[in-house]
């Protein structure tokens, strides 16, 4: 075990830190944290994003979950609210909290109308203090962002709508 002594007599297991960094690379996570007694080690990497023009839009209202027994969602009473959505939904692979940008000061990963490439980060889902980048499954155009920043999401919940 490689141990490094810090000025305050604390010891850091550098082998563990390297192993955690390797896990980040292998799993494409943005951060990982381990606690042993009073020692807490957090290893994080910065996500880089190709920035495009910044546009702001009102966050969409959170989607209400349909009751499990109801096979068909009720139709809106106002015909103007009926909108046909076409394209491929990118769904959440886990339960967590969605973040539309890498940090509160950073620009959003994507905006409606952006062209995205397969593998490009669309947003992040935080689950159990781990930031998980959600990537585009294919090249396409962002037709809609179906969630708001810091919104809780369920497994399988649609996050982004991609068109060809």
């Amino acid at each position: 075990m490689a141990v490094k002594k810090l000025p305050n007599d604390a010891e850091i297991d550098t082998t563990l830190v390297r192993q955690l960094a390797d896990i980040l690379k292998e799993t494409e996570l943005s951060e990982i944290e381990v606690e042993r007694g009073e020692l807490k080690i957090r290893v994080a990497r910065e996500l880089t994003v190709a920035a495009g023009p910044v546009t702001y839009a009102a966050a969409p209202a959170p989607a209400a979950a349909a009751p499990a027994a109801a096979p068909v969602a009720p139709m809106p009473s106002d015909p103007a609210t009926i909108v046909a959505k076409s394209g491929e939904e990118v769904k959440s692979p886990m339960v967590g909290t969605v973040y539309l940008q890498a940090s509160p000061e950073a620009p959003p990963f994507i905006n409606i109308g952006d062209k995205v490439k397969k593998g490009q980060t669309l947003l992040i889902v935080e689950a159990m203090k781990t930031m998980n980048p959600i990537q585009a499954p294919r090249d396409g155009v962002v037709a809609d962002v179906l969630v708001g920043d810091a919104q809780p999401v369920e497994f399988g919940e649609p996050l982004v709508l991609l068109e060809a």
Side-chain angles (χ1 to χ4, degrees), residues 1-163:
M1 169 169 84
V3 175
K4 185 171 184 170
K5 211 64 149 141
L6 297 178
N8 62 357
D9 288 334
E11 292 181 351
I12 298 291
D13 180 353
T14 56
T15 304
L16 174 61
V17 173
R18 290 182 200 283
Q19 289 172 339
L20 292 173
D22 289 340
I23 290 171
L24 284 180
K25 286 181 189 173
E26 292 169 11
T27 60
E28 296 184 13
L29 296 173
S30 59
E31 66 181 66
I32 191 167
E33 188 173 308
V34 174
E35 290 185 47
R36 287 187 180 168
E38 292 189 21
L39 177 65
K40 185 180 198 179
I41 298 175
R42 180 177 166 267
V43 179
R45 64 183 175 132
E46 187 173 317
L47 296 175
T48 56
V49 178
V54 177
T55 58
Y56 295 95
V72 178
M75 292 296 291
S77 57
D78 180 10
T81 62
I82 300 172
V83 178
K85 301 248 182 202
S86 64
E88 178 182 353
E89 292 178 336
V90 178
K91 297 181 179 185
S92 179
M94 64 196 73
V95 174
T97 303
V98 166
Y99 294 102
L100 302 179
Q101 63 263 4
S103 69
E105 307 83 31
F109 289 109
I110 56 168
N111 293 297
I112 295 173
D114 285 356
K115 291 182 181 179
V116 295
K117 296 283 185 190
K118 180 178 180 178
Q120 178 179 336
T121 299
L122 301 174
L123 43 80
I124 294 174
V125 175
E126 176 189 13
M128 298 175 53
K129 296 185 180 183
T130 302
M131 301 298 180
N132 302 285
I134 306 303
Q135 299 175 342
R138 60 175 176 80
D139 292 357
V141 176
V142 177
D144 201 359
V145 178
L146 305 171
V147 292
D149 192 45
Q151 175 183 328
V153 293
E154 296 293 326
F155 171 80
E157 184 173 337
L159 304 171
V160 175
L161 190 62
L162 285 183
E163 292 180 337

